Amino acid sequence: QVQLVESGGGLVQAGGSLRLSCVASGSIFGINDMGWYRQAPGKQRELVAAITSGGRTNYAVSVKGRSTISRDNAKKMVYLQMNSLKPEDTAIYYCKAEVRVKTWVDYWGQGTQVTVSS
């Protein structure tokens, strides 16, 4: 059984910063791409940032320049540093990882709420 657990969400004022963390646990034989997604009320889930096992990154236009994704392969963790937060960043943030169990499977975390007040 594989689990992804996010932490680090919370309430912050506009202009502030948050660092989200996600740790993978269970019978894992490898982790490929990892990423952060978010879903605001009434909207579809969207990609925020992704990182390959080799460290190549990809960002949504809306967060580029304000956010940094990183990972620690030894600890099976992925991080999202978000700066200059805006009210429109308010959403539930989900961690996703492509994990090798018997085959490669996408796993999701339960989500962590980020609320940015104006």
Short mmCIF file of all heavy atoms in Angstrom, two decimals, residues 17-71:
data_model
loop_
_atom_site.label_atom_id
_atom_site.label_comp_id
_atom_site.label_asym_id
_atom_site.label_seq_id
_atom_site.Cartn_x
_atom_site.Cartn_y
_atom_site.Cartn_z
N SER A 17 4.32 33.70 2.17
CA SER A 17 4.92 32.49 1.62
C SER A 17 4.46 31.26 2.39
O SER A 17 4.11 31.34 3.57
CB SER A 17 6.46 32.57 1.70
OG SER A 17 6.96 33.64 0.97
N LEU A 18 4.47 30.13 1.69
CA LEU A 18 4.20 28.84 2.30
C LEU A 18 5.11 27.82 1.64
O LEU A 18 5.46 27.95 0.46
CB LEU A 18 2.75 28.41 2.11
CG LEU A 18 1.68 28.98 3.03
CD1 LEU A 18 0.30 28.48 2.59
CD2 LEU A 18 1.93 28.62 4.48
N ARG A 19 5.45 26.78 2.41
CA ARG A 19 6.20 25.66 1.86
C ARG A 19 5.39 24.39 2.12
O ARG A 19 5.14 24.01 3.25
CB ARG A 19 7.57 25.53 2.51
CG ARG A 19 8.45 24.48 1.83
CD ARG A 19 9.68 24.22 2.63
NE ARG A 19 10.67 23.46 1.87
CZ ARG A 19 11.49 22.56 2.40
NH1 ARG A 19 11.43 22.30 3.69
NH2 ARG A 19 12.38 21.92 1.65
N LEU A 20 4.98 23.76 1.02
CA LEU A 20 4.25 22.50 1.10
C LEU A 20 5.23 21.34 0.99
O LEU A 20 6.21 21.41 0.26
CB LEU A 20 3.22 22.41 -0.01
CG LEU A 20 2.21 23.56 -0.12
CD1 LEU A 20 1.20 23.26 -1.23
CD2 LEU A 20 1.50 23.80 1.19
N SER A 21 4.93 20.27 1.74
CA SER A 21 5.74 19.07 1.70
C SER A 21 4.84 17.87 1.45
O SER A 21 3.67 17.86 1.83
CB SER A 21 6.48 18.86 3.03
OG SER A 21 7.32 19.93 3.32
N CYS A 22 5.40 16.86 0.81
CA CYS A 22 4.67 15.62 0.55
C CYS A 22 5.65 14.46 0.68
O CYS A 22 6.74 14.50 0.09
CB CYS A 22 4.06 15.65 -0.83
SG CYS A 22 3.29 14.09 -1.35
N VAL A 23 5.27 13.46 1.46
CA VAL A 23 6.13 12.29 1.64
C VAL A 23 5.38 11.05 1.16
O VAL A 23 4.18 10.89 1.42
CB VAL A 23 6.57 12.14 3.11
CG1 VAL A 23 5.38 11.98 4.03
CG2 VAL A 23 7.54 10.98 3.27
N ALA A 24 6.10 10.21 0.44
CA ALA A 24 5.55 8.94 -0.04
C ALA A 24 6.04 7.81 0.86
O ALA A 24 7.20 7.80 1.27
CB ALA A 24 5.97 8.69 -1.48
N SER A 25 5.15 6.88 1.14
CA SER A 25 5.53 5.73 1.98
C SER A 25 4.84 4.48 1.48
O SER A 25 3.85 4.56 0.74
CB SER A 25 5.16 5.99 3.44
OG SER A 25 3.77 6.13 3.59
N GLY A 26 5.38 3.33 1.88
CA GLY A 26 4.80 2.06 1.47
C GLY A 26 5.80 1.24 0.69
O GLY A 26 7.00 1.51 0.68
N SER A 27 5.29 0.23 0.00
CA SER A 27 6.14 -0.70 -0.77
C SER A 27 6.46 -0.07 -2.12
O SER A 27 5.82 -0.37 -3.12
CB SER A 27 5.44 -2.03 -0.94
OG SER A 27 5.15 -2.62 0.31
N ILE A 28 7.47 0.80 -2.13
CA ILE A 28 7.82 1.58 -3.31
C ILE A 28 9.14 1.09 -3.87
O ILE A 28 10.14 1.03 -3.15
CB ILE A 28 7.91 3.08 -2.94
CG1 ILE A 28 6.55 3.60 -2.47
CG2 ILE A 28 8.43 3.89 -4.11
CD1 ILE A 28 6.59 5.00 -1.89
N PHE A 29 9.13 0.76 -5.17
CA PHE A 29 10.35 0.31 -5.83
C PHE A 29 10.99 1.41 -6.66
O PHE A 29 12.10 1.25 -7.15
CB PHE A 29 10.06 -0.92 -6.67
CG PHE A 29 9.70 -2.13 -5.86
CD1 PHE A 29 8.37 -2.43 -5.59
CD2 PHE A 29 10.68 -2.95 -5.32
CE1 PHE A 29 8.04 -3.54 -4.82
CE2 PHE A 29 10.35 -4.05 -4.55
CZ PHE A 29 9.03 -4.34 -4.29
N GLY A 30 10.26 2.53 -6.80
CA GLY A 30 10.81 3.65 -7.53
C GLY A 30 9.76 4.74 -7.67
O GLY A 30 8.57 4.48 -7.57
N ILE A 31 10.22 5.95 -7.84
CA ILE A 31 9.32 7.09 -8.06
C ILE A 31 9.81 7.84 -9.27
O ILE A 31 10.98 8.21 -9.35
CB ILE A 31 9.25 8.03 -6.84
CG1 ILE A 31 8.78 7.27 -5.61
CG2 ILE A 31 8.31 9.19 -7.14
CD1 ILE A 31 8.74 8.12 -4.34
N ASN A 32 8.92 8.08 -10.21
CA ASN A 32 9.27 8.80 -11.42
C ASN A 32 8.89 10.28 -11.23
O ASN A 32 9.41 10.95 -10.36
CB ASN A 32 8.60 8.17 -12.63
CG ASN A 32 9.25 8.56 -13.93
OD1 ASN A 32 10.25 9.27 -13.94
ND2 ASN A 32 8.69 8.10 -15.03
N ASP A 33 7.97 10.78 -12.02
CA ASP A 33 7.57 12.18 -11.90
C ASP A 33 6.79 12.41 -10.60
O ASP A 33 6.02 11.57 -10.16
CB ASP A 33 6.68 12.59 -13.08
CG ASP A 33 7.43 12.59 -14.39
OD1 ASP A 33 8.67 12.40 -14.38
OD2 ASP A 33 6.77 12.76 -15.44
N MET A 34 7.00 13.58 -10.02
CA MET A 34 6.22 14.03 -8.87
C MET A 34 5.70 15.42 -9.17
O MET A 34 6.33 16.18 -9.95
CB MET A 34 7.07 14.06 -7.59
CG MET A 34 7.70 12.72 -7.24
SD MET A 34 8.59 12.74 -5.67
CE MET A 34 7.25 12.50 -4.51
N GLY A 35 4.57 15.78 -8.57
CA GLY A 35 4.02 17.08 -8.90
C GLY A 35 3.01 17.57 -7.89
O GLY A 35 2.58 16.83 -7.00
N TRP A 36 2.69 18.83 -8.03
CA TRP A 36 1.66 19.48 -7.22
C TRP A 36 0.55 19.97 -8.14
O TRP A 36 0.81 20.59 -9.18
CB TRP A 36 2.25 20.65 -6.45
CG TRP A 36 3.16 20.24 -5.34
CD1 TRP A 36 4.52 20.11 -5.40
CD2 TRP A 36 2.77 19.88 -4.02
NE1 TRP A 36 5.00 19.69 -4.19
CE2 TRP A 36 3.95 19.54 -3.32
CE3 TRP A 36 1.55 19.81 -3.35
CZ2 TRP A 36 3.94 19.14 -1.99
CZ3 TRP A 36 1.54 19.41 -2.02
CH2 TRP A 36 2.72 19.08 -1.35
N TYR A 37 -0.67 19.70 -7.73
CA TYR A 37 -1.86 20.16 -8.42
C TYR A 37 -2.71 20.93 -7.42
O TYR A 37 -2.54 20.80 -6.21
CB TYR A 37 -2.65 18.96 -8.96
CG TYR A 37 -1.98 18.24 -10.09
CD1 TYR A 37 -0.84 17.46 -9.87
CD2 TYR A 37 -2.46 18.33 -11.40
CE1 TYR A 37 -0.20 16.80 -10.92
CE2 TYR A 37 -1.84 17.68 -12.45
CZ TYR A 37 -0.72 16.92 -12.20
OH TYR A 37 -0.11 16.28 -13.24
N ARG A 38 -3.64 21.71 -7.93
CA ARG A 38 -4.55 22.40 -7.04
C ARG A 38 -5.95 22.46 -7.63
O ARG A 38 -6.11 22.41 -8.84
CB ARG A 38 -4.06 23.83 -6.73
CG ARG A 38 -4.08 24.78 -7.91
CD ARG A 38 -3.42 26.09 -7.53
NE ARG A 38 -3.43 27.06 -8.63
CZ ARG A 38 -2.81 28.23 -8.62
NH1 ARG A 38 -2.10 28.58 -7.54
NH2 ARG A 38 -2.87 29.05 -9.64
N GLN A 39 -6.91 22.56 -6.74
CA GLN A 39 -8.31 22.66 -7.16
C GLN A 39 -9.01 23.68 -6.30
O GLN A 39 -9.11 23.52 -5.07
CB GLN A 39 -9.01 21.31 -7.05
CG GLN A 39 -10.40 21.31 -7.64
CD GLN A 39 -10.93 19.91 -7.85
OE1 GLN A 39 -10.46 18.94 -7.28
NE2 GLN A 39 -11.94 19.79 -8.70
N ALA A 40 -9.46 24.76 -6.94
CA ALA A 40 -10.22 25.79 -6.27
C ALA A 40 -11.71 25.44 -6.37
O ALA A 40 -12.11 24.69 -7.26
CB ALA A 40 -9.95 27.14 -6.92
N PRO A 41 -12.54 25.98 -5.48
CA PRO A 41 -13.97 25.68 -5.51
C PRO A 41 -14.58 26.01 -6.87
O PRO A 41 -14.36 27.10 -7.41
CB PRO A 41 -14.54 26.59 -4.42
CG PRO A 41 -13.41 26.80 -3.49
CD PRO A 41 -12.18 26.84 -4.34
N GLY A 42 -15.30 25.06 -7.42
CA GLY A 42 -15.97 25.28 -8.69
C GLY A 42 -15.08 25.20 -9.91
O GLY A 42 -15.52 25.47 -11.03
N LYS A 43 -13.81 24.84 -9.71
CA LYS A 43 -12.86 24.78 -10.83
C LYS A 43 -12.28 23.38 -10.95
O LYS A 43 -12.32 22.59 -10.01
CB LYS A 43 -11.75 25.81 -10.65
CG LYS A 43 -12.23 27.25 -10.70
CD LYS A 43 -11.05 28.21 -10.76
CE LYS A 43 -11.52 29.64 -10.89
NZ LYS A 43 -10.39 30.60 -10.98
N GLN A 44 -11.71 23.10 -12.12
CA GLN A 44 -11.06 21.81 -12.33
C GLN A 44 -9.69 21.79 -11.67
O GLN A 44 -9.06 22.83 -11.46
CB GLN A 44 -10.93 21.55 -13.84
CG GLN A 44 -12.24 21.25 -14.54
CD GLN A 44 -12.03 20.76 -15.96
OE1 GLN A 44 -11.08 21.14 -16.62
NE2 GLN A 44 -12.92 19.91 -16.43
N ARG A 45 -9.26 20.58 -11.35
CA ARG A 45 -7.91 20.42 -10.81
C ARG A 45 -6.90 20.77 -11.90
O ARG A 45 -7.05 20.37 -13.06
CB ARG A 45 -7.70 18.99 -10.33
CG ARG A 45 -6.44 18.79 -9.53
CD ARG A 45 -6.38 17.38 -8.95
NE ARG A 45 -7.49 17.14 -8.01
CZ ARG A 45 -7.56 16.05 -7.23
NH1 ARG A 45 -6.60 15.13 -7.28
NH2 ARG A 45 -8.57 15.89 -6.43
N GLU A 46 -5.87 21.53 -11.51
CA GLU A 46 -4.87 21.97 -12.49
C GLU A 46 -3.47 21.73 -11.98
O GLU A 46 -3.22 21.73 -10.77
CB GLU A 46 -5.04 23.47 -12.80
CG GLU A 46 -4.82 24.38 -11.61
CD GLU A 46 -4.91 25.86 -11.96
OE1 GLU A 46 -5.18 26.19 -13.13
OE2 GLU A 46 -4.71 26.69 -11.06
N LEU A 47 -2.56 21.54 -12.91
CA LEU A 47 -1.15 21.37 -12.57
C LEU A 47 -0.57 22.69 -12.07
O LEU A 47 -0.78 23.74 -12.68
CB LEU A 47 -0.36 20.90 -13.78
CG LEU A 47 1.15 20.84 -13.62
CD1 LEU A 47 1.55 19.72 -12.67
CD2 LEU A 47 1.83 20.66 -14.97
N VAL A 48 0.16 22.63 -10.97
CA VAL A 48 0.89 23.79 -10.47
C VAL A 48 2.36 23.68 -10.87
O VAL A 48 2.93 24.59 -11.45
CB VAL A 48 0.78 23.90 -8.93
CG1 VAL A 48 1.60 25.08 -8.43
CG2 VAL A 48 -0.68 24.03 -8.52
N ALA A 49 2.96 22.54 -10.55
CA ALA A 49 4.37 22.32 -10.86
C ALA A 49 4.67 20.84 -10.84
O ALA A 49 4.02 20.08 -10.11
CB ALA A 49 5.28 23.05 -9.87
N ALA A 50 5.65 20.43 -11.64
CA ALA A 50 6.04 19.03 -11.69
C ALA A 50 7.56 18.93 -11.77
O ALA A 50 8.23 19.88 -12.23
CB ALA A 50 5.40 18.32 -12.87
N ILE A 51 8.08 17.79 -11.34
CA ILE A 51 9.52 17.58 -11.37
C ILE A 51 9.80 16.12 -11.69
O ILE A 51 9.17 15.21 -11.14
CB ILE A 51 10.17 18.00 -10.02
CG1 ILE A 51 11.68 17.88 -10.08
CG2 ILE A 51 9.58 17.23 -8.85
CD1 ILE A 51 12.39 18.56 -8.91
N THR A 52 10.73 15.89 -12.61
CA THR A 52 11.09 14.52 -12.98
C THR A 52 12.09 13.96 -11.96
O THR A 52 12.62 14.69 -11.11
CB THR A 52 11.73 14.49 -14.37
OG1 THR A 52 13.02 15.15 -14.30
CG2 THR A 52 10.86 15.19 -15.41
N SER A 53 12.35 12.67 -12.07
CA SER A 53 13.31 12.04 -11.17
C SER A 53 14.71 12.62 -11.34
O SER A 53 15.51 12.61 -10.42
CB SER A 53 13.34 10.53 -11.40
OG SER A 53 13.66 10.25 -12.74
N GLY A 54 14.95 13.18 -12.52
CA GLY A 54 16.24 13.80 -12.78
C GLY A 54 16.32 15.26 -12.42
O GLY A 54 17.38 15.89 -12.55
N GLY A 55 15.20 15.82 -11.98
CA GLY A 55 15.20 17.20 -11.51
C GLY A 55 14.72 18.24 -12.50
O GLY A 55 14.77 19.43 -12.23
N ARG A 56 14.23 17.80 -13.66
CA ARG A 56 13.70 18.75 -14.63
C ARG A 56 12.33 19.22 -14.13
O ARG A 56 11.50 18.41 -13.72
CB ARG A 56 13.60 18.12 -16.00
CG ARG A 56 13.31 19.11 -17.12
CD ARG A 56 13.53 18.52 -18.50
NE ARG A 56 12.58 17.46 -18.77
CZ ARG A 56 12.94 16.19 -18.95
NH1 ARG A 56 14.21 15.84 -18.86
NH2 ARG A 56 12.02 15.28 -19.20
N THR A 57 12.09 20.53 -14.21
CA THR A 57 10.86 21.09 -13.65
C THR A 57 9.98 21.72 -14.72
O THR A 57 10.43 22.10 -15.80
CB THR A 57 11.20 22.16 -12.59
OG1 THR A 57 11.99 23.20 -13.21
CG2 THR A 57 11.98 21.56 -11.44
N ASN A 58 8.70 21.85 -14.36
CA ASN A 58 7.71 22.45 -15.23
C ASN A 58 6.73 23.18 -14.33
O ASN A 58 6.31 22.64 -13.30
CB ASN A 58 6.99 21.35 -16.03
CG ASN A 58 5.95 21.92 -16.96
OD1 ASN A 58 6.15 22.96 -17.57
ND2 ASN A 58 4.82 21.25 -17.07
N TYR A 59 6.36 24.42 -14.72
CA TYR A 59 5.48 25.24 -13.89
C TYR A 59 4.29 25.75 -14.69
O TYR A 59 4.41 26.05 -15.89
CB TYR A 59 6.23 26.44 -13.32
CG TYR A 59 7.33 26.10 -12.37
CD1 TYR A 59 8.64 25.94 -12.82
CD2 TYR A 59 7.07 25.92 -11.01
CE1 TYR A 59 9.66 25.61 -11.95
CE2 TYR A 59 8.09 25.60 -10.12
CZ TYR A 59 9.38 25.44 -10.61
OH TYR A 59 10.39 25.12 -9.73
N ALA A 60 3.17 25.91 -14.01
CA ALA A 60 2.05 26.62 -14.60
C ALA A 60 2.45 28.08 -14.76
O ALA A 60 3.19 28.63 -13.94
CB ALA A 60 0.82 26.50 -13.71
N VAL A 61 1.92 28.71 -15.80
CA VAL A 61 2.24 30.11 -16.06
C VAL A 61 1.86 30.98 -14.86
O VAL A 61 2.59 31.92 -14.51
CB VAL A 61 1.51 30.59 -17.33
CG1 VAL A 61 1.66 32.10 -17.51
CG2 VAL A 61 2.05 29.86 -18.56
N SER A 62 0.78 30.62 -14.21
CA SER A 62 0.25 31.45 -13.12
C SER A 62 1.16 31.48 -11.89
O SER A 62 1.05 32.40 -11.07
CB SER A 62 -1.14 30.95 -12.72
OG SER A 62 -1.07 29.59 -12.31
N VAL A 63 2.06 30.49 -11.75
CA VAL A 63 2.92 30.46 -10.56
C VAL A 63 4.40 30.60 -10.92
O VAL A 63 5.24 30.71 -10.02
CB VAL A 63 2.72 29.16 -9.74
CG1 VAL A 63 1.26 29.01 -9.35
CG2 VAL A 63 3.22 27.94 -10.50
N LYS A 64 4.73 30.59 -12.19
CA LYS A 64 6.12 30.67 -12.60
C LYS A 64 6.76 31.95 -12.09
O LYS A 64 6.16 33.03 -12.19
CB LYS A 64 6.21 30.60 -14.13
CG LYS A 64 7.55 30.15 -14.64
CD LYS A 64 7.47 29.78 -16.11
CE LYS A 64 8.75 29.14 -16.59
NZ LYS A 64 8.67 28.70 -17.99
N GLY A 65 7.93 31.82 -11.51
CA GLY A 65 8.63 32.97 -10.95
C GLY A 65 8.29 33.21 -9.50
O GLY A 65 9.01 33.95 -8.81
N ARG A 66 7.21 32.59 -9.01
CA ARG A 66 6.81 32.76 -7.61
C ARG A 66 6.93 31.46 -6.83
O ARG A 66 6.86 31.47 -5.59
CB ARG A 66 5.35 33.23 -7.52
CG ARG A 66 5.05 34.53 -8.20
CD ARG A 66 3.64 35.01 -7.88
NE ARG A 66 2.61 34.15 -8.43
CZ ARG A 66 1.69 33.54 -7.70
NH1 ARG A 66 1.66 33.66 -6.39
NH2 ARG A 66 0.75 32.79 -8.29
N SER A 67 7.11 30.35 -7.53
CA SER A 67 7.11 29.04 -6.88
C SER A 67 8.31 28.23 -7.32
O SER A 67 8.80 28.38 -8.43
CB SER A 67 5.82 28.27 -7.22
OG SER A 67 4.69 28.97 -6.74
N THR A 68 8.75 27.35 -6.41
CA THR A 68 9.86 26.45 -6.71
C THR A 68 9.52 25.05 -6.22
O THR A 68 9.19 24.88 -5.04
CB THR A 68 11.16 26.91 -6.02
OG1 THR A 68 11.47 28.24 -6.43
CG2 THR A 68 12.31 25.99 -6.39
N ILE A 69 9.58 24.09 -7.14
CA ILE A 69 9.37 22.69 -6.77
C ILE A 69 10.72 22.02 -6.64
O ILE A 69 11.65 22.29 -7.41
CB ILE A 69 8.47 21.97 -7.80
CG1 ILE A 69 8.10 20.57 -7.30
CG2 ILE A 69 9.13 21.91 -9.18
CD1 ILE A 69 7.03 19.88 -8.14
N SER A 70 10.85 21.16 -5.65
CA SER A 70 12.09 20.42 -5.45
C SER A 70 11.74 19.06 -4.86
O SER A 70 10.60 18.84 -4.43
CB SER A 70 13.04 21.18 -4.52
OG SER A 70 12.45 21.40 -3.25
N ARG A 71 12.72 18.15 -4.86
CA ARG A 71 12.46 16.83 -4.31
C ARG A 71 13.72 16.28 -3.66
O ARG A 71 14.83 16.68 -3.98
CB ARG A 71 11.95 15.88 -5.39
CG ARG A 71 12.92 15.61 -6.51
CD ARG A 71 12.26 14.86 -7.67
NE ARG A 71 12.05 13.44 -7.38
CZ ARG A 71 11.35 12.63 -8.17
NH1 ARG A 71 10.78 13.10 -9.27
NH2 ARG A 71 11.22 11.36 -7.86
#
